[in-house]
Amino acid sequence: MFARFRSSWPVLGAFLLVLGVSAAYSLTLCGLLWWAGLPWWIGLVPFGLSLVGAESLHALGKNEPPTTDTFVIERDDDPRVHAVLDRLCALTDLERPVLRLYGAEGPNAVAHVPDQGPACVYVTPDLLERLDNRQLEAVLAHELAHLTHRDQRVIAFAEGMSQWMVNLPVSMLDLLYGADEGLWVLAVRSGASWNPLFDTVKEKEEKEERIRRSGRFPVPVGVLVLGPVFLGRVLLGVAALVILPATLVGVVLFLLTSLPSQIVVLRLVRRRELAADRAAAELTGAPTVLASALASMTEAIPVSQPKGLPGLRAMDALSILPHTRPHRRDKEGGDGFGRRLLALRRRAFSTHPPVAVRLDALRELAARRHRAEP
């Protein structure tokens, strides 16, 4: 039991650190309010809002696929990868995810759970070409670990706690834009020549022409509809007057708190990568195989990706490796202190632990397994 707690503590500790940063801001505000002679408990409001805001973002946000440049890998396309995935799902009793191919350069894999439909595991062509069966099994086990641990949900919640002050008003604005477009459609079908309140309707002229061709409401119905539509537009305008200043305030608060929050969220992301490595190694029973796969894949990670794949950076949090390797600038920074500072900054803001750290952890796990064998 102690060993299980010790292995899960780094992830739990990283998540508690995320909560701690938000709590520290609230406690600081409580102290300032108390010093100013104001009710100190008002300082607890931001912490409560961070929890509510993070959960609200999950309900309001759009959990879109990490990339659209993808297609399903059918069983006839690659029987080998399907056989490996079938075996892993049978071992874990996990619902089988959909296998999809995406066009990034270099060997990589990403797990993603959409709002609707089954989970997906995305793999690159280079991954399927480079790895043998055992290495491929280790990589897919790593991605299944992300799905089992619900890492996407946990990371999204942590990011929501640190960014809710901006993302929540922006999500509310998205709802206003959608409602505005819906009211505009009703107004056009009722015969009114109103424009949307917000200039966010894409291809407005073409949509308006299609709406008019599809037919208008009968005059009595149109007259009845225009009243509620007009009232709805007034309410949208009032809501916008409230949300827009809230967005500006949120941007200021985010700028004041973003650096510590981003650092602790990225620490959580790195810890969950190590946890997925450990879970994959325990599932396959071969930590050294995953280590060899990581070493082989790292050598082939490109310095840059094609310009037609702008969303890859957002996929890094749940990919087995970053999609690009950092530029090495060992000569920059002058003395040794400058180079150490550059390395510290790169490590603090990276989504993945250094590969050397991951390999050492897997070798240590392999050694412990070997010592435990009779």
Side-chain angles (χ1 to χ4, degrees):
M1 182 176 179
F2 176 75
R4 181 182 294 273
F5 175 77
R6 184 179 60 182
S7 64
S8 61
W9 168 246
V11 175
L12 178 60
F15 189 75
L16 291 176
L17 188 59
V18 173
L19 295 175
V21 169
S22 294
Y25 287 129
S26 287
L27 291 176
T28 301
L29 183 57
C30 287
L32 292 174
L33 291 171
W34 176 80
W35 178 79
L38 298 173
W40 62 268
W41 53 267
I42 297 177
L44 299 176
V45 173
F47 183 69
L49 287 177
S50 67
L51 295 174
V52 175
E55 188 61 29
S56 299
L57 287 174
H58 174 66
L60 297 175
K62 298 178 181 178
N63 185 16
E64 298 177 347
T67 178
T68 55
D69 180 25
T70 175
F71 63 88
V72 175
I73 304 175
E74 302 293 348
R75 195 171 291 271
D76 293 339
D77 297 331
D78 195 327
R80 181 180 73 119
V81 68
H82 278 276
V84 171
L85 184 61
D86 288 340
R87 178 177 180 275
L88 291 173
C89 291
L91 290 174
T92 58
D93 198 26
L94 186 69
E95 183 180 354
R96 195 178 189 281
V98 176
L99 276 171
R100 304 188 74 94
L101 195 72
Y102 72 108
E105 293 185 358
N108 221 320
V110 182
H112 180 260
V113 182
D115 288 330
Q116 296 181 345
C120 296
V121 172
Y122 296 79
V123 296
T124 63
D126 287 347
L127 180 84
L128 301 179
E129 294 174 3
R130 174 174 285 266
L131 302 187
D132 60 30
N133 285 5
R134 297 190 68 200
Q135 291 174 328
L136 182 61
E137 181 182 60
V139 170
L140 292 181
H142 175 100
E143 297 306 318
L144 292 183
H146 279 309
L147 297 177
T148 303
H149 297 164
R150 303 184 67 185
D151 285 342
Q152 177 182 324
R153 179 74 180 90
V154 172
I155 293 171
F157 185 87
E159 290 177 341
M161 283 198 65
S162 62
Q163 302 172 12
W164 69 270
M165 65 286 291
V166 173
N167 290 343
L168 188 57
V170 169
S171 297
M172 295 299 294
L173 282 176
D174 287 338
L175 289 179
L176 288 185
Y177 296 155
D180 181 41
E181 183 173 352
L183 291 175
W184 169 71
V185 171
L186 289 175
V188 172
R189 294 204 64 185
S190 300
S193 299
W194 295 346
N195 289 318
L197 288 176
F198 310 106
D199 188 21
T200 57
V201 179
K202 298 179 180 179
E203 301 177 350
K204 174 179 172 294
E205 290 77 11
E206 292 80 357
K207 285 185 178 180
E208 186 172 4
E209 183 62 28
R210 287 198 300 270
I211 294 170
R212 294 189 187 280
R213 284 202 304 265
S214 65
R216 297 181 178 179
F217 294 136
V219 174
V221 175
V223 172
L224 292 175
V225 168
L226 281 179
V229 168
F230 179 78
L231 179 61
R233 286 165 62 91
V234 172
L235 294 177
L236 285 180
V238 173
L241 290 177
V242 175
I243 294 175
L244 286 174
T247 304
L248 296 177
V249 173
V251 170
V252 174
L253 291 175
F254 175 72
L255 292 176
L256 293 175
T257 62
S258 61
L259 184 60
S261 299
Q262 185 180 9
I263 289 175
V264 296
V265 169
L266 288 174
R267 178 179 175 84
L268 174 65
V269 173
R270 292 193 295 271
R271 290 295 185 180
R272 298 195 79 85
E273 281 299 321
L274 291 172
D277 283 348
R278 183 172 58 251
E282 291 174 349
L283 175 61
T284 60
T288 56
V289 174
L290 179 57
S292 68
L294 289 174
S296 174
M297 292 166 63
T298 301
E299 296 175 354
I301 295 297
V303 174
S304 62
Q305 290 284 348
K307 294 183 179 180
L309 298 171
L312 290 184
R313 178 64 180 171
M315 299 168 63
D316 277 350
L318 291 177
S319 61
I320 191 168
L321 288 171
H323 284 88
T324 57
R325 68 172 68 195
H327 294 274
R328 295 298 179 186
R329 297 180 180 139
D330 295 335
K331 295 183 180 181
E332 293 186 10
D335 55 11
F337 174 76
R339 288 196 294 271
R340 287 194 296 272
L341 187 63
L342 181 63
L344 179 62
R345 182 190 66 82
R346 182 181 295 142
R347 183 167 182 173
F349 291 97
S350 66
T351 55
H352 291 70
V355 174
V357 172
R358 299 173 72 176
L359 298 183
D360 288 343
L362 290 169
R363 293 188 186 107
E364 181 181 352
L365 179 59
R368 288 203 303 268
R369 291 175 60 89
H370 179 72
R371 289 194 297 267
E373 291 178 354

